[in-house]
Amino acid sequence: SVYLKEIHLIGFQRQHPKMNNIVLQDILHVIRVGEFRQKQSVAEPFIRRSDLMYFDLNSIRNSDAPANDRKNPCGLFSEEACALSRMGGLGDKLKTLVISPWMEGGINCQIQSSLVAQIIWYFLEGYHLRKLDTQISKDSLTKYSVELKDVDYVICFYKSEHSGKWWFEEPIIDNEFSNQLIPCTYEEYCSTAQNQIPNRILEFIQS
């Protein structure tokens, strides 16, 4: 779609060869199941800047979502699915949540319907607790400057005292979109301050 600027794929599983081809061609940011399971907050910056979340129920393991059409033995736990949905509700820009697909009929469908209801409930809870930074201007945020020794560069992080959210400033680029604030996590700020620059931030610096 010409209207699609970025795609963030969360819960990626490398054992699916067709998905590997999609990643190489179309997906800009990928978070594997293991990465998300190790620290769920890694997905928050990507969800925060998204307008739409499409939740493929096949990303959840079959034991937790028995009406999945692919019967995948591996994948997200149901609790992790609810955590992702809650993040979506908390997101600044998210307007649409799409959940699909599953097979109809039988007791498995009842379990699946209950799971979908819980995913929606957690999305609504996040939406209810959403703290919007209505005017994200650098003057209204707390600034933290980190000097990167290896690359001789200073990167600026910003924190909202209202919502607790973090951003880093995109390096200077000679165009009209220069110096945009990119959502990040507190952990990414801490790693950068210790001169252990996350790959995601390093890509912006080197581009």
Side-chain angles (χ1 to χ4, degrees):
S1 171
V2 294
Y3 302 105
L4 190 61
K5 296 180 180 179
E6 295 183 13
I7 301 176
H8 313 300
L9 182 59
I10 300 171
F12 175 69
Q13 299 180 53
R14 290 178 295 174
Q15 71 269 23
H16 298 297
K18 291 183 178 180
M19 292 305 297
N20 278 310
N21 292 332
I22 294 175
V23 168
L24 291 173
Q25 296 172 9
D26 302 315
I27 305 297
L28 298 181
H29 302 104
V30 177
I31 298 175
R32 295 180 175 85
V33 170
E35 294 177 83
F36 176 73
R37 185 158 294 153
Q38 187 175 16
K39 185 172 285 291
Q40 293 185 0
S41 61
V42 70
E44 189 273 339
F46 301 108
I47 295 177
R48 197 199 316 169
R49 65 185 304 185
S50 298
D51 297 295
L52 180 146
M53 174 187 281
Y54 173 78
F55 207 112
D56 186 345
L57 292 172
N58 287 300
S59 64
I60 305 173
R61 60 179 55 204
N62 185 67
S63 58
D64 285 17
N68 285 355
D69 54 8
R70 294 182 185 171
K71 303 297 181 185
N72 188 8
C74 301
L76 298 170
F77 296 117
S78 56
E79 293 86 354
E80 293 170 333
C82 291
L84 278 170
S85 181
R86 189 176 186 274
M87 284 185 200
L90 290 168
D92 292 339
K93 300 173 58 181
L94 198 70
K95 301 178 180 66
T96 305
L97 172 66
V98 179
I99 305 173
S100 73
W102 72 88
M103 296 185 296
E104 298 182 0
I107 188 172
N108 287 343
C109 184
Q110 297 175 15
I111 296 173
Q112 195 92 338
S113 299
S114 178
L115 173 60
V116 171
Q118 290 184 47
I119 291 174
I120 295 173
W121 189 93
Y122 277 99
F123 178 84
L124 293 174
E125 181 189 55
Y127 186 84
H128 177 71
L129 299 174
R130 178 182 290 187
K131 293 183 178 180
L132 292 177
D133 296 290
T134 53
Q135 294 181 344
I136 303 178
S137 64
K138 296 171 187 175
D139 294 336
S140 64
L141 303 173
T142 305
K143 179 179 179 180
Y144 298 83
S145 298
V146 178
E147 182 178 355
L148 307 178
K149 300 177 182 178
D150 295 339
V151 293
D152 190 24
Y153 185 86
V154 175
I155 186 168
C156 298
F157 288 84
Y158 293 86
K159 178 188 177 184
S160 167
E161 302 299 337
H162 169 67
S163 64
K165 297 172 183 175
W166 285 79
W167 296 263
F168 68 92
E169 187 175 29
E170 185 180 18
I172 296 175
I173 301 173
D174 189 18
N175 61 41
E176 59 180 316
F177 303 106
S178 296
N179 302 108
Q180 299 293 307
L181 293 182
I182 310 298
C184 68
T185 64
Y186 171 68
E187 289 81 8
E188 287 177 314
Y189 160 72
C190 291
S191 295
T192 306
Q194 296 172 4
N195 209 39
Q196 298 174 352
I197 310 170
N199 290 333
R200 186 169 74 95
I201 296 179
L202 194 60
E203 287 175 2
F204 278 95
I205 298 173
Q206 295 176 338
S207 61

